[in-house]
Amino acid sequence: MKNKTFLKIIQPDDWHVHLREGDMMKVVTKFSSRINNRCVVMPNLETPITNSYLARQYKEHLSLITAGLNFTTLLPCYLIDSLDLEDFKLALKEDIFVGAKLYPINATTNSSFGISKIDNIFSALEILEELGKPLLVHGEKVREDINIFDREKYFIDEELQIIRNRYPSLKIILEHVSSEYGTDFVNENKNTAGTITPHHMMLTKKDFFYENSINPHHYCMPVVKEESDLIALRRCACSGNKKFFIGSDSAPHDIVNKETTSDIKPGIFSAPCSIELYAEIFNQENALEKLENFTSINGPEFYNLPINQDKIYIVKKEWIVEEFTIFNDIKVKNFYGGEKLKWKIEF
Ligand code: NCD
Ligand code: ZN
């Protein structure tokens, strides 16, 4: 596909995005809703979405912002140690929840209510398996003696493999896969898929550790890793491998929570240019013909949802990404802000 000047692809979905709440929700949702038909919206709010009541309330807030747009939000239930199983099962059956999200305790933003011991969610996993609904996993094991770069590997070995073996038909999505070890796990196991972010395919730990300190705008969970991991992720995404699909993990934080000396929030906000970043990566890998599989086909197939009908155009056109997203008191640094991209979505 050399010298291609435009791409016409099936409208994408984003299978992992943070739309937050309040003013932040108002300003960031527009970036996701203008491109995607569906977004899997993460439930890690300050009060995590752990039951159908909170889910209905959150969806109502979102629907006010997206009224009139062809945009659907899919919400996974935030799993907690003491889940109301009856409510959970009913909400899955009624499609209030698309599946469930496993946050290990204290692994990332707003995960203090997360799971302390996987045995505590076995009953919930049985329900998911029985109903054919997916388990979305933040795959990191947090323990003092585990290096931050090895959290994914330890989680796979000590937790995920147990779940995989115990519930063989359960659909599992290892979200924001960040290492070659993670891609190997996805490739080697049935009913297992992975989402890949643009930043894990663009950054390595050298971009995170910068001039003897860390660059807070490249700080996310899981942290970006080695060149060999980046190469493995690019290989899986760009080869058309059905087990991998889009999930930007666009995760906005106000600049005051990023440019601070203590308690820097992890998360990279890429929604203003995420689809163009993926196009750039696939172009670099000479794989533009596989972009549609990754952005628009593999995800719905794994979720067992219809593939979108509409098409979008991405044209070859240089543009500079805005540096910030600003609204009322909010100021968020955009990933790739101020940098040049060679592809742009056209409406
Ligand atoms: C996310 C957030 O800020 O909510 N942060 C991140 O670094 N990715 C949470 C998450 O997906 O882990
Ligand atoms: Zn996330």
Side-chain angles (χ1 to χ4, degrees):
M1 227 189 240
K2 283 214 174 85
N3 301 323
K4 198 94 178 131
T5 56
F6 74 92
L7 294 168
K8 184 181 176 188
I9 62 166
I10 297 169
Q11 187 183 16
D13 305 290
D14 191 339
W15 301 96
H16 179 143
V17 67
H18 299 266
L19 298 184
R20 311 292 195 212
E21 45 206 317
D23 274 355
M24 187 67 96
M25 178 201 267
K26 281 188 192 146
V27 66
V28 303
T29 303
K30 67 174 187 217
F31 295 109
S32 298
S33 60
R34 83 200 159 116
I35 295 163
N36 302 294
N37 183 32
R38 295 166 291 214
C39 278
V40 171
V41 178
M42 288 299 132
N44 63 329
L45 306 184
E46 286 193 13
T47 303
I49 303 175
T50 54
N51 60 48
S52 64
Y53 173 76
L54 294 169
R56 280 204 171 88
Q57 210 175 35
Y58 187 56
K59 283 191 169 195
E60 225 170 271
H61 288 154
L62 275 166
S63 67
L64 290 177
I65 291 175
T66 59
L69 301 171
N70 278 332
F71 179 64
T72 305
T73 52
L74 305 169
L75 192 63
C77 177
Y78 183 121
L79 292 174
I80 48 171
D81 287 343
S82 55
L83 198 69
D84 178 343
L85 292 171
E86 244 171 75
D87 176 76
F88 177 61
K89 190 168 185 176
L90 201 64
L92 285 167
K93 281 186 176 166
E94 290 179 357
D95 288 327
I96 294 165
F97 287 130
V98 69
K101 173 88 188 216
L102 163 52
Y103 286 104
I105 192 163
N106 296 332
T108 188
T109 310
N110 296 338
S111 60
S112 59
F113 297 93
I115 300 307
S116 57
K117 201 158 149 259
I118 53 163
D119 311 41
N120 295 345
I121 55 162
F122 283 166
S123 313
L125 301 186
E126 250 163 57
I127 294 173
L128 289 171
E129 186 179 44
E130 181 197 325
L131 299 179
K133 302 282 186 181
L135 173 71
L136 286 57
V137 179
H138 183 111
E140 290 197 286
K141 178 127 184 165
V142 183
R143 211 174 52 208
E144 236 168 62
D145 61 321
I146 299 175
N147 183 305
I148 194 167
F149 293 99
D150 295 332
R151 285 179 178 176
E152 190 164 275
K153 176 187 182 309
Y154 274 88
F155 184 85
I156 288 169
D157 289 347
E158 296 184 5
E159 319 269 338
L160 198 53
Q161 195 67 63
I162 294 170
I163 297 176
R164 187 60 296 167
N165 297 344
R166 201 178 158 108
Y167 303 100
S169 314
L170 176 65
K171 286 187 191 190
I172 296 179
I173 303 164
L174 182 57
E175 300 208 276
H176 39 54
V177 188
S178 66
S179 64
E180 186 169 15
Y181 201 81
T183 59
D184 285 348
F185 177 82
V186 171
N187 278 321
E188 285 158 14
N189 286 278
K190 276 201 189 123
N191 296 321
T192 308
T195 56
I196 306 180
T197 74
H199 47 272
H200 286 101
M201 292 195 281
M202 297 182 89
L203 306 173
T204 66
K205 63 185 188 188
K206 286 188 200 146
D207 303 292
F208 166 45
F209 288 114
Y210 181 71
E211 289 178 358
N212 290 331
S213 65
I214 68 152
N215 178 345
H217 301 296
H218 289 164
Y219 174 49
C220 60
M221 292 299 179
V223 289
V224 295
K225 300 196 165 62
E226 305 286 345
E227 179 94 21
S228 54
D229 297 305
L230 176 149
I231 291 168
L233 293 167
R234 283 185 171 226
R235 195 170 49 235
C236 290
C238 297
S239 60
N241 185 331
K242 282 189 165 302
K243 285 173 154 279
F244 294 90
F245 46 88
I246 188 166
S248 69
D249 194 12
S250 175
H253 289 287
D254 195 282
I255 206 156
V256 297
N257 293 317
K258 287 297 237 176
E259 296 180 0
T260 166
T261 44
S262 67
D263 198 19
I264 301 169
K265 296 262 192 274
I268 290 180
F269 180 54
S270 60
C273 60
S274 51
I275 196 71
E276 286 95 348
L277 292 169
Y278 284 115
E280 195 89 10
I281 293 161
F282 277 68
N283 189 32
Q284 287 164 3
E285 298 297 320
N286 282 321
L288 280 174
E289 77 282 1
K290 295 286 197 307
L291 182 68
E292 185 181 59
N293 297 75
F294 182 78
T295 60
S296 319
I297 297 172
N298 300 348
E301 282 188 354
F302 192 79
Y303 270 82
N304 208 12
L305 289 168
I307 290 167
N308 297 327
Q309 297 285 313
D310 289 350
K311 304 267 178 171
I312 62 156
Y313 287 91
I314 306 175
V315 298
K316 199 164 189 180
K317 181 179 179 180
E318 290 196 346
W319 65 294
I320 310 269
V321 179
E322 282 282 336
E323 198 147 9
F324 300 102
T325 293
I326 297 171
F327 180 65
N328 291 342
D329 295 337
I330 287 170
K331 185 173 180 186
V332 182
K333 174 110 172 67
N334 301 334
F335 181 59
Y336 230 63
E339 308 260 347
K340 195 188 285 174
L341 280 173
K342 293 198 205 77
W343 293 87
K344 183 139 185 46
I345 187 146
E346 192 160 278
F347 295 98

